[in-house]
Amino acid sequence: MSQSRRHFIKQSAKASAALYAAAMGFSAKSYAKIIGANDRVRVGVIGYSDRHRSSHMPCFMNHYKELNFDLVAVSDIWKKRREEGTAAWKEKMGHDIVACRNNEEMYDKKLVDAVFISTADFQHALHAIEAVKAGCDAYVEKPFAETMEDNRAALKAIKATDRIVQIGSQRRSGANYHAANEFIRSGKFGPITMVELSWNVNQPGRWRRPALLSQLKEEDTDWKRFLMNRPADSFDVRKYLEYRLFWPYSSGLPGQWMSHQIDTVHWFSGIAHPRSVVANGGIYAWKDGRTNWDTITAVFDYGPANDLSSGFQVTFGSRMHNGDEKPSEIYYSNGGELNLINNTVAPKGGLSKRFADEMKMQPNLLTEQTLSSAEAVVASANTGGDKLTSNHVRNWMECIRSRKQPNAPVEAGYSHSIATIMTNAAARTGAKVTFDEKTQEVMANGKVFKY
């Protein structure tokens, strides 16, 4: 075949592809970013953490061959984790993995197209900003942000690009959660009047890393880089390895667990954040030097900001003692309940026809039904490659190829972060916390909450 003939065929194929893209609603710019089916997507790891090793790794392995992905690099500022990560992924992938001392090294070398981000809670938003500015798609673990400053900055940076960012709120990839969302939005459930959320475990070692504490030496990591934009502090091995126990490195129970459940409230209701939050609790069981509570009850008011006469209440209760590892999510309307423990809709507690007739109201009489096959939420410390996370990782990988928005886009992370920051502010100040729509700030006792 002549060179001119080859050029003609190649150009014709490009023109046909462009016409298809236009027909499917893709812009020329976004189509140019679509990765071809034969192009292997190179993925890197930002933080070889327990979460990455136990969940991201097996979930990625479920899908990478079919979707033509590869894992090529690991970035971790701790030498031990960096070496463990490269060795583990080399064994999985069957080829060498590039070890990077920090994220700049990974991005400067143009090694990757996409990254898993599973670093300390307070770093997620900041590392997401670095990723999209380097031209990478990202899977960003929750909580998305622990301060509004970081939350706003990450939302702005991500929205300024066409990068695919999946927030690690894996309920959004569960068939039963999609069924619940569709049922509520259909109007059949009636207006939500109350939501009860709970997450209780009895795990004395949860978020503790006693075996690792003696292994981390300051000279083997980069403490200043770890702190990022947090206040200057002296090196503390517990804050580095057990950060979930200490503010301002984590909000603990709100950011770690509540962020998952409150995300479904935003999703199902279409309301982006609470109108107000109050919280109470304390450190009742684990007197181990932690500063984040081991028990919390938070109460939220949700509804339109311009109509205080309508809305609903949400309660979140969590304890790290005397718990069965079975997170609970129950939605109530005047017609009954939608129960995501047993995955059913039922008229239980709903307004009976007799009382509706007496009050001259239209009864909302729900019939008992199963939403869909449940995909169980795993609440143990090591979730493994659970079905929800596997679905969620696959959705992200598919969206990297299609350039469609994933199940949990950045807006979902921005919203759950507002709720978790408001809860943390209420816990730390004792105030009834509100949200200023104009400034996008969390307000406690008339002041902006930061630390």
Side-chain angles (χ1 to χ4, degrees), residues 300-322:
F300 305 79
D301 174 51
Y302 274 86
N306 60 355
D307 181 10
L308 300 182
S309 66
S310 66
F312 57 93
Q313 187 179 79
V314 178
T315 60
F316 171 76
S318 183
R319 60 182 180 268
M320 302 185 74
H321 46 88
N322 194 289

Side-chain angles (χ1 to χ4, degrees), residues 100-119:
C100 301
R101 293 169 298 173
N102 52 57
N103 300 344
E104 286 88 339
E105 191 172 292
M106 177 183 286
Y107 295 138
D108 289 349
K109 291 180 178 179
K110 307 293 183 184
L111 296 173
V112 296
D113 307 301
V115 292
F116 281 107
I117 296 173
S118 56
T119 48

Side-chain angles (χ1 to χ4, degrees), residues 27-59:
S27 68
K29 182 181 178 182
S30 64
Y31 181 75
K33 295 290 185 180
I34 295 176
I35 299 171
N38 294 324
D39 295 327
R40 184 163 294 175
V41 179
R42 304 167 303 162
V43 179
V45 176
I46 305 298
Y48 187 69
S49 61
D50 293 342
R51 173 65 176 168
H52 180 79
R53 180 178 63 253
S54 70
S55 296
H56 297 165
M57 180 179 278
C59 292

Side-chain angles (χ1 to χ4, degrees), residues 177 384-385 443:
Y177 285 92
M443 306 299 295

Side-chain angles (χ1 to χ4, degrees), residues 216-447:
L216 176 60
K217 306 299 181 186
E218 186 173 3
E219 58 268 24
D220 290 332
T221 189
D222 189 334
W223 174 245
K224 287 186 178 180
R225 187 180 286 269
F226 173 84
L227 290 177
M228 299 191 80
N229 66 354
R230 289 308 185 260
D233 198 359
S234 57
F235 178 72
D236 188 318
V237 66
R238 289 198 68 194
K239 291 175 182 176
Y240 190 109
L241 290 173
E242 300 177 343
Y243 58 84
R244 294 179 180 91
L245 303 177
F246 302 98
W247 176 252
Y249 310 103
S250 172
S251 60
L253 293 171
Q256 277 290 307
W257 294 345
M258 192 198 80
S259 61
H260 278 302
Q261 295 186 321
I262 210 71
D263 176 61
T264 67
V265 175
H266 300 157
W267 181 21
F268 298 169
S269 70
I271 299 174
H273 58 76
R275 289 188 293 212
S276 67
V277 184
V278 293
N280 214 331
I283 302 170
Y284 300 124
W286 309 125
K287 312 290 186 177
D288 55 7
R290 70 183 65 195
T291 59
N292 287 335
W293 293 352
D294 62 18
T295 308
I296 189 171
T297 299
V299 182
F300 305 79
D301 174 51
Y302 274 86
N306 60 355
D307 181 10
L308 300 182
S309 66
S310 66
F312 57 93
Q313 187 179 79
V314 178
T315 60
F316 171 76
S318 183
R319 60 182 180 268
M320 302 185 74
H321 46 88
N322 194 289
D324 58 6
E325 298 188 18
K326 293 181 180 178
S328 168
E329 296 160 84
I330 306 177
Y331 286 73
Y332 297 95
S333 73
N334 212 25
E337 69 171 37
L338 187 153
N339 188 320
L340 283 160
I341 306 170
N342 56 28
N343 210 38
T344 61
V345 176
K348 181 180 178 182
L351 186 66
S352 70
K353 188 176 187 307
R354 179 172 67 86
F355 281 113
D357 290 342
E358 288 179 8
M359 300 295 293
K360 296 182 179 179
M361 297 173 63
Q362 180 67 35
N364 181 19
L365 301 176
L366 299 174
T367 56
E368 187 157 352
Q369 58 184 286
T370 300
L371 286 168
S372 72
S373 58
E375 288 160 348
V377 172
V378 179
S380 63
N382 182 356
T383 64
D386 64 285
K387 184 68 180 294
L388 283 177
T389 304
S390 185
N391 290 349
H392 209 50
V393 169
R394 183 184 179 93
N395 173 250
W396 174 61
M397 294 165 75
E398 290 176 337
C399 288
I400 287 174
R401 291 211 169 276
S402 70
R403 309 314 291 173
K404 294 179 181 178
Q405 280 296 297
N407 288 340
V410 63
E411 291 84 356
Y414 188 78
S415 287
H416 85 226
S417 295
I418 295 174
T420 57
I421 294 164
M422 289 177 73
T423 305
N424 191 37
R428 299 199 169 275
T429 65
K432 180 178 181 179
V433 172
T434 58
F435 187 69
D436 188 319
E437 289 282 357
K438 184 177 180 180
T439 62
Q440 296 289 290
E441 292 283 11
V442 168
M443 306 299 295
N445 293 319
K447 299 178 181 178

